[in-house]
C-alpha cells in the first residue's frame, strides 16, 4: 500500500520562492500576518527575512518545480566549484571527467532531500565565504576520500558538505571581526561545532553529526571542544580536518589574504603534530603541488628537491636533481611521482635561527627567517612571540657579558629595522582613527618604545607618538581615548582622557609579563590600569 505524500512542507525563509502558496496561516506573536492560500511575492519574502522569520509552511511543490529547484542549486554549486578550483589551489584535482561526474551525481543525490537542500542554501544566504568554503571542502574531501579508496563514501560525504552548518547561528559581524577575539567571543564562535552537531542530527544525519563537533579537534589533543586525540578520531574526520584547514588557508577572506598551496602545506607542517602526517603527505600528492624544499621522486626514478614553484603552472615546479636544475617540461614527459620527505623548522627552531643571525649581523638570513617565523603566528602575536622574546634574549646576553656592547647595538639596530617595517605594515592595515597618544621623556631606548608600539597595534590600538609640545596641539584638534607617558616624570594634561604613566623599569616589566603569551582580549588594557593616573 502506497504511503500518501504530505501536501505541505516546512521551508526556511531563505528557500521559499516567489509564487509559493502558504499552507497554513503565518502567525507572529499570536497575530495572523498572512492567511493560508496567500501567494508569496519577492517583496514579502525579503520583508520576512528582515523580520527574522525562520520557517514557513507552504504547499508542496509540483515535481517540475522541484526539478527546477534542483537544477538551480546544482548550477550554483558548480559556479562555486569553478570559482574555487583554480589550478594554483586544486592542482590536478578535477582534471578527470570521471571525478567531475562523480561529484555531480553525488551532490545531486543529496539535493533531492529537501531539508538537506534548504540547509545547504542557508550557508549561501548567510555568507558567501562560508558557502564557497563548504563547496570547496566537500569537493576536495570527497575526491580525496575516493582517491584513498575509502568505503561507503556516499553515506558519509554529506557530512563534508554540511559540517559547518552550525556557523549560521553565529553573528556575521563577529566572524568578520578584524581585531583579535576576546575570550568570551572565542567561546561564542566555538559553539558552532555543537550547534552543527544538533542540526545534523535533526536532519537525520546522526551518523555524520560528529563531523561538525570534531572538525576543530586535532590528533595531538590541541583542538576543541574536548581535546580529543588520534585514537578518538575516525580517519574520515582526520581527513576533514586537513582539507578544512587547507581550504581556509588558501581562500581569501575579509581579514586574511589567501596563501598559495605550497605556503599552506608549509604552514600545516609547522603545526607539527596537529595532523595525521601520513594522510597529509598523501593529500599533497593528491593535489600535486609540492612545497619548496620537499624531496620528491620523479617519474624517471631520480630523487629531486623542489627549488621553486611556478606561479602560473603550479604542477610544473623547478626541481634540482643530482645532475641539474630544471623546470618540469610542459609535455609532462617528466612529472613528480611521489613525495619522499618534507621537513620544516618549527617555530622554536626558526626563532633560534633568527636570533643567531641577528647576533651575527647577517641581514639576508635575518630577513629570511623573520618572514618564515611570522607565518607561524597570527599578526596579533608577533610582538609577544617574536619581538619581546628576542629583545629580552639580547638583554640577557648583555648582562652575562656574552655579547659585547658593539655587537649588541648592531643587533638592536637590525631588530629596529624589522620593527620599522612591521609598524609600517600595521599602520597601512589599520584604517581606524588614532585612539592613543604616546609621549616619552628621559627615555632614550628606541627599541623598547617600538616594541611597545607594536604590542599596542596588535591589540587594536591605533597609536600617535608625539613629543610633549606636539601632544597639546594634537589634543586641541582631535579626541583620543588614552594618553600614555613613558619616562621618569608624568606629564599633566588639561584634557580628561585616560592618562597612564610608566617608567622604563615598569615598561620592561610589562613587556616581560606579556613575553610568550598569546593575546586573546583586553589583557593589555587591564594590565595598564595599575598605571592609570587620576584625572
Amino acid at each position: 500500500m502506497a504511503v500518501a505524500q504530505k501536501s505541505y512542507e516546512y521551508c526556511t525563509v531563505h528557500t521559499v520562492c516567489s509564487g509559493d502558496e502558504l499552507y497554513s496561516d503565518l502567525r507572529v506573536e499570536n497575530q495572523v500576518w498572512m492567511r493560508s492560500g496567500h501567494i508569496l511575492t519577492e517583496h514579502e519574502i525579503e520583508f520576512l527575512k528582515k523580520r527574522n522569520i525562520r520557517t514557513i509552511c507552504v504547499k508542496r511543490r509540483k515535481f517540475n518545480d522541484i526539478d527546477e529547484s534542483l537544477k538551480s542549486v546544482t548550477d550554483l554549486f558548480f559556479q562555486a566549484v569553478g570559482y574555487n578550483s583554480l589550478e594554483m589551489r586544486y592542482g590536478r584535482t578535477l582534471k578527470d571527467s570521471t571525478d567531475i561526474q562523480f561529484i555531480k551525481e553525488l551532490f545531486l543525490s543529496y539535493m533531492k532531500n529537501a531539508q538537506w537542500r534548504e540547509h545547504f542554501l542557508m550557508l549561501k544566504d548567510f555568507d558567501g565565504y562560508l558557502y564557497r568554503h563548504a563547496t570547496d571542502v566537500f569537493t576536495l574531501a570527497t575526491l580525496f576520500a575516493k582517491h584513498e579508496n575509502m568505503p561507503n563514501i556516499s553515506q558519509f560525504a554529506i557530512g563534508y558538505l554540511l559540517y559547518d552548518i552550525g556557523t549560521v547561528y553565529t553573528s556575521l559581524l563577529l566572524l568578520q571581526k578584524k581585531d583579535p577575539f576576546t575570550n568570551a567571543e572565542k567561546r561564542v564562535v566555538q559553539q558552532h561545532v555543537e550547534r552543527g552537531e544538533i542540526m545534523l542530527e535533526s536532519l537525520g544525519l546522526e551518523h555524520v553529526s560528529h563531523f561538525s563537533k570534531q572538525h576543530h579537534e586535532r590528533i595531538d589533543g590541541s583542538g576543541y571542544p574536548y581535546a580529543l586525540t588520534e585514537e578518538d578520531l575516525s580517519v574520515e574526520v582526520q581527513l576533514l580536518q586537513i582539507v578544512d584547514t587547507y581550504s581556509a588557508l588558501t581562500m581569501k577572506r575579509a581579514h586574511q589574504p589567501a596563501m598559495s598551496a605550497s605556503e599552506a602545506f608549509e604552514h600545516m607542517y609547522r603545526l607539527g603534530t596537529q595532523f595525521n602526517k601520513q594522510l597529509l603527505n598523501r593529500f599533497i600528492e593528491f593535489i600535486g603541488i609540492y612545497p619548496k624544499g620537499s624531496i620528491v621522486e620523479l617519474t624517471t626514478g631520480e630523487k629531486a628537491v623542489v627549488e621553486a614553484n611556478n606561479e602560473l603552472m603550479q604542477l610544473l615546479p623547478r626541481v634540482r636533481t643530482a645532475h641539474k636544475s630544471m623546470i618540469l617540461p610542459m609535455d609532462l614527459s617528466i612529472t613528480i611521482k611521489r613525495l619522499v620527505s618534507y621537513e620544516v623548522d618549527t617555530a622554536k627552531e626558526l626563532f633560534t635561527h633568527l636570533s643567531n643571525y641577528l647576533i651575527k649581523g647577517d641581514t639576508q638570513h635575518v630577513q629570511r627567517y623573520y618572514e618564515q617565523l611570522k607565518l607561524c603566528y597570527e599578526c596579533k602575536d608577533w610582538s609577544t612571540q617574536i619581538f619581546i622574546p628576542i629583545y629580552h634574549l639580547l638583554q640577557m646576553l648583555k648582562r652575562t657579558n656574552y655579547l659585547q656592547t658593539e655587537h649588541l647595538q648592531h643587533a638592536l639596530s637590525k631588530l629596529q629595522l624589522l620593527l620599522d617595517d612591521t609598524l609600517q605594515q600595521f599602520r597601512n592595515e589599520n584604517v581606524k582613527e588614532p585612539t592613543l597618544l604616546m609621549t616619552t621623556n628621559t627615555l632614550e631606548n628606541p627599541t623598547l618604545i617600538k616594541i611597545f608600539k607594536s604590542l599596542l597595534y596588535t591589540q587594536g590600538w591605533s597609536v600617535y607618538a608625539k613629543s610633549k609640545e606636539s601632544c597639546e596641539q594634537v589634543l586641541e584638534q582631535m579626541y583620543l581615548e588614552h594618553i600614555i607617558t613613558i619616562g621618569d616624570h608624568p606629564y599633566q594634561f588639561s584634557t580628561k582622557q585616560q592618562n597612564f604613566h610608566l617608567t622604563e623599569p615598569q615598561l620592561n616589566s610589562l613587556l616581560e609579563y606579556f613575553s610568550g603569551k598569546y593575546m586573546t582580549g583586553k589583557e593589555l588594557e587591564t594590565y595598564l590600569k595599575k598605571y592609570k593616573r587620576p584625572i
Side-chain angles (χ1 to χ4, degrees):
M1 181 178 177
V3 177
Q5 191 178 47
K6 291 188 295 187
S7 59
Y8 63 89
E9 60 181 329
Y10 285 94
C11 298
T12 68
V13 71
H14 299 284
T15 56
V16 293
C17 302
S18 176
D20 279 347
E21 182 180 346
L22 289 180
Y23 181 82
S24 58
D25 292 348
L26 177 61
R27 293 176 175 271
V28 178
E29 296 178 354
N30 294 322
Q31 292 186 354
V32 177
W33 277 23
M34 298 177 186
R35 295 288 185 185
S36 62
H38 180 78
I39 306 298
L40 292 169
T41 66
E42 288 287 353
H43 178 75
E44 289 169 339
I45 293 169
E46 288 303 313
F47 174 75
L48 295 174
K49 288 180 182 178
K50 291 177 182 178
R51 296 302 299 248
N52 292 319
I53 305 301
R54 295 188 180 276
T55 307
I56 302 172
C57 185
V58 298
K59 284 190 176 180
R60 184 172 289 277
R61 298 167 188 159
K62 297 177 182 178
F63 283 109
N64 60 337
D65 293 333
I66 294 174
D67 291 342
E68 282 299 312
S69 178
L70 282 174
K71 182 179 184 303
S72 174
V73 75
T74 304
D75 289 345
L76 287 171
F77 171 77
F78 275 96
Q79 286 174 16
V81 171
Y83 179 90
N84 292 333
S85 59
L86 301 173
E87 184 176 292
M88 63 180 296
R89 298 184 66 249
Y90 269 46
R92 55 187 174 215
T93 311
L94 283 184
K95 293 188 181 296
D96 187 334
S97 60
T98 59
D99 282 347
I100 296 173
Q101 189 64 26
F102 177 77
I103 281 290
K104 182 175 182 178
E105 291 178 359
L106 187 59
F107 177 79
L108 188 59
S109 70
Y110 292 154
M111 291 301 100
K112 289 178 181 178
N113 183 304
Q115 285 186 308
W116 298 358
R117 183 170 71 248
E118 288 168 16
H119 280 73
F120 174 67
L121 290 174
M122 282 173 67
L123 296 170
K124 179 179 181 299
D125 289 322
F126 178 74
D127 178 46
Y129 164 77
L130 185 64
Y131 168 72
R132 291 192 300 274
H133 179 56
T135 61
D136 194 47
V137 171
F138 170 71
T139 303
L140 289 175
T142 301
L143 290 179
F144 184 37
K146 178 173 177 281
H147 180 78
E148 289 284 292
N149 294 314
M150 290 185 180
N152 306 316
I153 292 175
S154 61
Q155 294 181 27
F156 67 76
I158 183 63
Y160 292 154
L161 185 67
L162 297 178
Y163 74 98
D164 230 2
I165 189 65
T167 307
V168 300
Y169 290 103
T170 307
S171 164
L172 191 57
L173 288 176
L174 177 58
L175 292 174
Q176 295 178 344
K177 179 185 175 185
K178 292 185 178 181
D179 295 332
F181 290 143
T182 64
N183 286 332
E185 289 171 337
K186 185 178 291 187
R187 286 192 294 271
V188 169
V189 171
Q190 290 180 352
Q191 288 172 1
H192 79 280
V193 299
E194 291 165 319
R195 286 174 175 162
E197 180 186 41
I198 295 169
M199 293 175 74
L200 291 181
E201 288 174 350
S202 73
L203 295 174
L205 295 172
E206 295 89 349
H207 63 293
V208 292
S209 62
H210 62 290
F211 282 26
S212 178
K213 197 164 189 176
Q214 296 177 0
H215 71 276
H216 282 293
E217 298 283 2
R218 296 293 180 257
I219 66 170
D220 61 359
S222 63
Y224 69 86
Y226 294 125
L228 301 179
T229 55
E230 184 170 7
E231 55 269 22
D232 303 312
L233 301 166
S234 68
V235 67
E236 293 86 359
V237 168
Q238 292 180 40
L239 184 152
L240 173 59
Q241 292 164 356
I242 289 172
V243 177
D244 176 59
T245 302
Y246 174 79
S247 174
L249 291 174
T250 56
M251 291 184 72
K252 183 179 179 181
R253 305 174 70 174
H255 60 282
Q256 173 186 297
M259 290 184 183
S260 68
S262 177
E263 290 171 337
F265 289 138
E266 183 177 342
H267 178 82
M268 292 171 75
Y269 263 87
R270 284 220 169 89
L271 295 175
T273 56
Q274 291 191 16
F275 302 106
N276 181 319
K277 190 172 182 180
Q278 289 72 34
L279 199 58
L280 178 56
N281 286 347
R282 296 200 296 274
F283 182 64
I284 292 174
E285 292 176 342
F286 167 71
I287 295 293
I289 301 174
Y290 296 82
K292 181 180 176 181
S294 55
I295 300 174
V296 298
E297 181 183 344
L298 304 180
T299 48
T300 60
E302 294 177 285
K303 299 291 193 303
V305 176
V306 176
E307 289 189 310
N309 293 96
N310 187 333
E311 289 187 10
L312 296 178
M313 291 174 285
Q314 293 282 322
L315 297 174
L316 302 176
R318 175 177 290 279
V319 300
R320 186 182 73 252
T321 68
H323 307 290
K324 62 179 178 179
S325 176
M326 63 175 178
I327 296 175
L328 294 181
M330 291 188 67
D331 64 4
L332 304 182
S333 56
I334 302 175
T335 60
I336 295 175
K337 181 180 179 181
R338 68 183 181 95
L339 176 67
V340 176
S341 66
Y342 179 57
E343 300 294 335
V344 295
D345 290 325
T346 63
K348 184 177 180 180
E349 291 168 335
L350 289 173
F351 181 88
T352 300
H353 293 321
L354 175 59
S355 304
N356 288 339
Y357 285 114
L358 197 61
I359 293 168
K360 292 177 181 178
D362 187 331
T363 303
Q364 183 176 356
H365 280 90
V366 165
Q367 192 65 41
R368 171 188 167 188
Y369 284 110
Y370 174 59
E371 293 299 331
Q372 291 182 20
L373 187 56
K374 285 198 300 182
L375 294 175
C376 297
Y377 304 107
E378 296 181 49
C379 61
K380 68 181 180 63
D381 297 315
W382 290 350
S383 294
T384 59
Q385 300 297 326
I386 303 175
F387 291 122
I388 300 176
I390 285 181
Y391 177 76
H392 283 147
L393 174 63
L394 294 176
Q395 295 301 314
M396 184 270 291
L397 294 175
K398 175 186 176 184
R399 289 194 301 271
T400 57
N401 296 319
Y402 182 85
L403 200 59
Q404 296 178 356
T405 302
E406 180 183 349
H407 290 158
L408 173 67
Q409 292 303 322
H410 190 68
L412 288 174
S413 296
K414 295 291 183 185
L415 182 59
Q416 284 187 52
L417 290 176
L418 296 180
L419 279 162
D420 288 340
D421 288 344
T422 304
L423 286 170
Q424 186 59 52
Q425 180 181 341
F426 287 151
R427 283 191 286 267
N428 292 342
E429 293 175 355
N430 196 327
V431 297
K432 297 187 300 185
E433 289 294 321
T435 57
L436 181 144
L437 183 64
M438 185 172 73
T439 185
T440 63
N441 63 59
T442 70
L443 179 61
E444 297 180 358
N445 188 336
T447 309
L448 194 65
I449 293 299
K450 288 178 180 179
I451 291 174
F452 185 47
K453 285 172 66 176
S454 75
L455 181 61
L456 292 168
Y457 269 112
T458 59
Q459 298 311 296
W461 293 17
S462 186
V463 183
Y464 239 140
K466 296 289 183 180
S467 65
K468 167 67 164 61
E469 293 71 23
S470 300
C471 284
E472 296 286 2
Q473 185 176 1
V474 168
L475 291 171
E476 290 176 2
Q477 298 175 352
M478 62 190 303
Y479 176 77
L480 294 159
E481 296 176 12
H482 312 284
I483 303 172
I484 297 179
T485 304
I486 301 171
D488 293 340
H489 310 295
Y491 285 141
Q492 297 294 332
F493 294 96
S494 56
T495 53
K496 294 184 178 181
Q497 287 90 346
Q498 290 192 67
N499 193 340
F500 305 95
H501 170 241
L502 290 84
T503 63
E504 183 173 352
Q506 289 170 335
L507 180 56
N508 266 310
S509 295
L510 180 149
L511 296 181
E512 186 174 346
Y513 175 80
F514 286 108
S515 180
K517 290 185 182 294
Y518 288 94
M519 309 291 278
T520 57
K522 296 189 176 183
E523 298 99 329
L524 179 59
E525 188 172 351
T526 301
Y527 187 95
L528 282 172
K529 286 180 180 178
K530 66 174 75 175
Y531 302 114
K532 184 177 178 182
R533 291 181 55 77
I535 297 176

